[in-house]
């Protein structure tokens, strides 16, 4: 039984009935010319069922026994029950996007079965615009958002005439490589020595972060405290999902005009939207909200799995002026990123673990109610495909991430970029985040404010 990394074990340990710990995604496909939505859905079902060679990633589940520290090993199933894992659904009439989002909202709040490999794929037809949707969910102990998108991209082609579409668990696509030679003793010693150096540097790295906290005016150091808001509460298991896309060219134009990054624009849109939403609820705190912004540590050619750290960002939601709010937020982002760039990989991961450490106690009764949060929301930006993709000629028309609300974090905002669009996925605890759809309107207004700052003409 292979050893389970501590990060994976923590995602399993943190899971409760009210806090499922799976990530997901919604993809929309336009059938190829002359093909109906029903025919495309049937083709997907047949192709997925025919792919009986399963990559180990899709066969793994937690092994027994469970220790006081959680699961410590993986087991692998030899056979997969496709009738369970791959599901076909037809939306009720009138088949609007509203019905699709309702379907995802209802299914994202249900736990994955730990006695099976922890993933599901839902092929959904019945949309009135003729598109077919795929909703997938997979446990966060197995992959992070970057790895999940890699799986999606590998099952498709940039050639609209290609007809070799297969399932995401096809070993030929998921990255099975020839076994490498066992590392030499010299290589092993060198690797252990490098790890030891990085571990020994954790103390100085922590001191460096602390010093930077004084030097960098906008830096939010680990273990600081955020204001208490209506988002930092205990949650139920019911979910509500909302999504919308904007033309990437709009964000790029603003970023170029203001000499900032597209990711800065994304965080600024969230900042403005959250400020407006909390004002609507008469619940805006006097001090600024703090966001945890994951930073991927994946490199080209590395293995799928979890490799992520995080920075803390001052969202400046207490600032009514959009220009000053943006300046404070950008200062905070740059200060935090400068600290990350000065750390070794293991040290950067350790910093992320320190930032996320309070989440380990969130399910302890009373913790969320009586301990001030370290941050109020997680805002993630996951790069998606950089070219138009097709599955057996069906064009990928939208990619929307579906992430994880948690105890004390009733709302999560995750963004995926594609060739022409930026796709926002908002997932919230249904009872604790009312009128979630209003946040989409506020995001649009926030982008318009940024366009005015950049002196971009109204659309």
């Amino acid at each position: 039984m292979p050893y389970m990394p501590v990060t994976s074990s923590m995602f399993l340990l943190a899971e409760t009935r009210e806090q499922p710990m799976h990530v997901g995604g919604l993809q929309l496909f336009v059938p190829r010319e002359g093909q109906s939505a029903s025919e495309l859905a049937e083709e997907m079902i047949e192709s997925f069922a025919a792919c009986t060679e399963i990559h180990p990633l899709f066969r793994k589940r937690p092994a027994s026994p469970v220790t006081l520290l959680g699961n410590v090993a993986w087991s692998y199933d030899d056979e997969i029950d496709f009738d369970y894992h791959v599901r076909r659904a037809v939306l009720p009439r009138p088949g609007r996007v509203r019905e699709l989002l309702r379907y995802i909202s209802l299914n994202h709040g249900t736990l994955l079965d730990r006695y099976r490999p922890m993933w599901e794929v839902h092929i959904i037809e019945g949309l009135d615009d003729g598109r077919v949707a795929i909703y997938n969910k997979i446990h966060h102990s197995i992959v992070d958002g970057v790895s999940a998108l890699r799986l999606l991209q590998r099952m498709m082609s940039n050639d609209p005439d290609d007809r070799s579409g297969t399932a995401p668990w096809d070993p030929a696509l998921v990255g099975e490589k020839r076994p490498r030679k066992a590392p030499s003793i010299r290589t092993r010693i060198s690797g252990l020595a490098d790890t030891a150096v990085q571990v020994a540097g954790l103390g100085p790295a922590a001191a460096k972060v602390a010093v930077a906290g004084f030097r960098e005016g906008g830096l939010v150091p680990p273990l600081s405290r955020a204001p208490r808001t209506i988002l930092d509460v205990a949650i139920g298991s019911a979910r509500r999902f909302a999504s919308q896309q904007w033309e990437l060219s709009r964000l790029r134009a603003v970023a170029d005009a203001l000499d900032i990054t597209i990711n800065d624009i994304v965080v600024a849109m969230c900042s403005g939207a959250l400020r407006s939403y909390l004002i609507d609820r008469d619940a805006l705190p006097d001090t600024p909200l703090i966001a945890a912004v994951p930073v991927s540590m994946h490199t080209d050619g590395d293995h799928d799995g979890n490799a992520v750290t995080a920075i803390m960002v001052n969202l400046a939601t207490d600032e009514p002026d959009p220009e000053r709010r943006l300046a404070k937020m950008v200062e905070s982002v740059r200060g935090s990123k400068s600290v990350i760039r000065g750390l070794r990989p293991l040290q950067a991961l350790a910093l992320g673990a320190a930032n996320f450490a309070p989440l380990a106690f969130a399910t302890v009764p009373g913790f969320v109610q009586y301990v001030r949060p370290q941050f109020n929301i997680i805002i993630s930006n996951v790069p998606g495909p950089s070219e138009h993709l097709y599955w057996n000629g069906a064009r990928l028309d939208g990619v929307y991430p579906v992430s994880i609300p948690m105890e004390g974090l009733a709302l999560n905002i995750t963004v995926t970029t594609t060739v022409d669009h930026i796709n926002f996925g908002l997932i919230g605890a249904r009872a604790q985040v009312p009128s979630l759809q209003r946040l989409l309107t506020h995001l649009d207004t926030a982008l318009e404010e940024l366009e005015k700052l950049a002196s971009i003409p109204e659309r």
Side-chain angles (χ1 to χ4, degrees), residues 273-297:
L274 287 166
R275 173 180 165 84
S276 298
Y277 177 80
L278 292 173
I279 288 175
D280 286 348
R281 312 298 303 178
D282 194 24
L284 180 68
D286 295 331
T287 53
L289 269 65
I290 304 298
V293 179
V295 177
S296 175
M297 300 294 289

Side-chain angles (χ1 to χ4, degrees), residues 45 47 70 145 160 172 218 226 272 291-292 314 380 448:
I45 288 287
S47 179
N314 177 352
S380 305
E448 291 174 352

Side-chain angles (χ1 to χ4, degrees), residues 25 41 156 171 240 277 342 348 357-358 364 366 423 432:
M156 290 182 281
R240 179 175 277 113
Y277 177 80
V364 175
N423 308 273
Q432 288 73 33

Side-chain angles (χ1 to χ4, degrees), residues 294-375:
V295 177
S296 175
M297 300 294 289
H298 283 286
T299 58
D300 292 339
D302 70 355
H303 294 289
D304 295 321
N306 286 290
V308 65
T309 186
I311 60 174
M312 298 292 111
V313 175
N314 177 352
L315 293 181
T317 49
D318 59 328
E319 178 56 69
D321 180 74
E323 185 172 11
R324 288 197 291 268
R325 185 165 66 244
L326 176 65
K328 289 181 179 179
M329 188 221 69
V330 170
E331 180 188 20
S332 179
V333 170
R334 289 178 177 173
S336 296
K337 285 186 175 180
S338 68
V339 172
I340 290 289
R341 282 193 290 267
L343 301 178
R344 302 287 295 277
L346 184 60
Q347 296 165 355
L349 291 172
L351 175 62
N355 284 328
F356 281 133
L359 298 182
F361 303 97
T363 57
V364 175
F367 184 86
V368 169
Q369 289 90 336
Y370 299 111
V371 178
R372 276 183 57 192
Q374 184 172 341
F375 49 88

Side-chain angles (χ1 to χ4, degrees), residues 4 44 77 80 97 101 137 144 178 182 185 189 200 222 225 233 242 262 278 296 325 364 371 374 405 435 440 452:
M4 179 184 295
M44 287 178 167
D77 286 359
I80 300 297
V97 171
L101 298 182
K137 64 181 187 181
D144 57 25
R178 294 179 182 176
I185 293 179
I189 292 174
R225 287 290 175 257
V233 294
I262 289 179
L278 292 173
S296 175
R325 185 165 66 244
V364 175
V371 178
Q374 184 172 341
S435 305
L440 298 179
K452 289 180 182 178

